Amino acid sequence: KQWYQRRVRGRFVFYGAMFGYGITSLWNEDYFWETKFCWIGYPFKVWAMKDRIYWYYMIELGYYMSCLVLQFYEVKRKDFKEMFIHHVATVFLISMSYVSGRTRIGAIVMVIHDF
């Protein structure tokens, strides 16, 4: 039971910190407030990704990849299959939005997910 409480507290801290980082990274971006700016010029114009958004992507991707691997070493839970599918889907979506240049909308989705 004690390991579970540490795990829950750790995830609470991670999601809180990442939500705060995501909000501060996106606060001054026009596309954060008006999502139509996420799509202007797409797919013909590739937007340069700011360093803060890049690191937001890399930290989130690393976290979900670690969750995907570590769940095989933790105590098996009843929702193992569901969480495995969730982590695979999350890693896939983060990766594909990065590769395809949809990082503007991807960053907004990640902030909402962290909330």
Side-chain angles (χ1 to χ4, degrees):
K1 185 172 179 165
Q2 191 177 25
W3 67 269
Y4 182 75
Q5 290 174 346
R6 279 195 317 263
R7 182 173 164 222
V8 169
R9 282 192 299 261
R11 288 191 178 191
F12 178 77
V13 169
F14 174 80
Y15 284 119
M18 290 311 295
F19 176 73
Y21 184 79
I23 290 291
T24 58
S25 297
L26 294 171
W27 192 264
N28 293 324
E29 302 295 334
D30 56 351
Y31 59 88
F32 182 61
W33 302 103
E34 188 65 48
T35 56
K36 70 180 179 182
F37 292 118
C38 291
W39 309 108
I40 292 176
Y42 187 82
F44 304 108
K45 182 174 182 176
V46 177
W47 299 100
M49 187 186 314
K50 295 187 176 177
D51 285 343
R52 292 180 65 101
I53 303 300
Y54 171 80
W55 285 111
Y56 187 49
Y57 256 79
M58 293 302 113
I59 293 168
E60 289 276 345
L61 183 61
Y63 176 75
Y64 284 106
M65 289 177 76
S66 71
C67 287
L68 184 65
V69 172
L70 290 176
Q71 77 179 24
F72 289 101
Y73 298 100
E74 294 178 344
V75 175
K76 296 275 190 215
R77 298 176 6 169
K78 288 191 289 186
D79 63 347
F80 176 85
K81 290 179 187 174
E82 292 83 358
M83 291 308 295
F84 180 76
I85 292 168
H86 167 74
H87 292 127
V88 168
T90 304
V91 167
F92 176 77
L93 290 171
I94 291 172
S95 300
M96 292 311 295
S97 70
Y98 180 79
V99 169
S100 67
R102 292 183 172 106
T103 55
R104 289 181 166 198
I105 196 68
I108 293 171
V109 170
M110 286 192 302
V111 167
I112 293 168
H113 184 264
D114 289 340
F115 182 71

